[in-house]
Amino acid sequence: MRADKSTIKKIWPWLFAAPLMIAGMLFWPGGIEPPQEAAAAGDRISGECLEPHIGASGRHQMKTQSGLGYVVVTPTDYSAKHRYGLLMLFPPAGFSKIASERFYRITHDATAAGYVVAFSDALPLSSHAIRAQAEVVPEIAKRWCIDADRIVLAGHSDGGLVAQGTVIKAHLSTIQRGTIVSSAAGIQQQDLTAEKCPTPKAVTLLHPAHDERFPAYGWGVAKWWANCFTCKPMTDEPSPGECRDAQVCNASSSVRFCKTTESHAQYSPEFGQQLKLLMQSSRQSSN
């Protein structure tokens, strides 16, 4: 059963409800991208992690302590003598970790940019689901050598909602840092009026201009994040196919909103492009 907009509004504080994706999305055509060697030495930040990390290079099927399945893929030349960024992709509703990896199609670019990339199994959205999804990043950071300043939390639809929720709902999660990239999430500005402002480094929101599930969502949430970062008020909503950046924000924080042209159920190439831009910029700023 898919949650409608009125249901989401009623149960947001507890369940972070969002729609199930259409069944056709669960079988995205094409294989899984192979991991790549980090493209340059600068993609691997010098300096060993202070504590021993037992994670090895390659592809690893994992489970959290609470039993949530996820897959971790490292650059082929991963070494615990270097710190790597982490790209965490949360799944659309009903997607397994493997289906998510096929849907997002980012493994090649992330590992080539010196990132460890991870995909988790979907859970029906609830407070328990937020807690369970929030366990993945800390567990990865314990096993692999991760640069805490280069953690990206991202996802589409339910996945985008979880990416924001693991940071907004601080009582459910220990994740307080990182960058958020959220696409087509079923959140409105009024849903957030009672929430305290969290402290991620940057937030990029994407929302379809003609989203059949959540029409006119996204822009208000971008304005809420801009207020959290004490940016100048965002007043010039972009046209379809355009992005807008909040201006004069707190030091080292930023908000971007992109209005995409795809339907709710479609993967937006702009989502992948924004991820690539963030990974590139974070790599340069760390060098």
Side-chain angles (χ1 to χ4, degrees), residues 87 89 104-106 109 113 115 152-155 179-183 202-207 238 241-245 254-260 262 267-283:
L87 174 59
L89 274 301
Y104 289 123
R105 294 175 285 168
I106 197 69
D109 292 310
Y115 273 70
V152 180
L153 310 172
T179 297
I180 294 171
V181 182
S182 173
S183 169
V203 176
T204 296
L205 304 180
L206 304 92
H207 207 87
E242 295 182 343
C243 297
R244 289 284 185 275
D245 293 317
S254 64
V255 179
R256 170 172 288 183
F257 177 76
C258 299
K259 186 173 288 188
T260 61
E262 292 75 21
Y267 175 85
S268 171
E270 186 64 32
F271 178 79
Q273 182 62 26
Q274 291 299 320
L275 288 176
K276 293 172 192 176
L277 289 172
L278 283 168
M279 288 187 290
Q280 181 181 23
S281 63
S282 68
R283 184 173 73 242

Side-chain angles (χ1 to χ4, degrees), residues 3-60:
D4 59 24
K5 289 180 286 186
S6 62
T7 301
I8 289 172
K9 185 174 180 180
K10 292 177 182 177
I11 65 177
W12 156 264
W14 302 281
L15 300 184
F16 280 84
L20 296 175
M21 305 296 287
I22 61 173
M25 285 182 59
L26 299 179
F27 303 99
W28 186 261
I32 295 174
E33 295 180 340
Q36 300 296 302
E37 180 175 321
D43 297 337
R44 306 180 298 272
I45 308 304
S46 297
E48 296 185 61
C49 288
L50 297 179
E51 298 179 2
H53 286 66
I54 61 175
S57 64
R59 179 182 298 274
H60 305 270

Side-chain angles (χ1 to χ4, degrees), residues 146-157:
I146 300 300
D147 181 356
D149 291 325
R150 294 198 299 155
I151 294 176
V152 180
L153 310 172
H156 177 76
S157 191

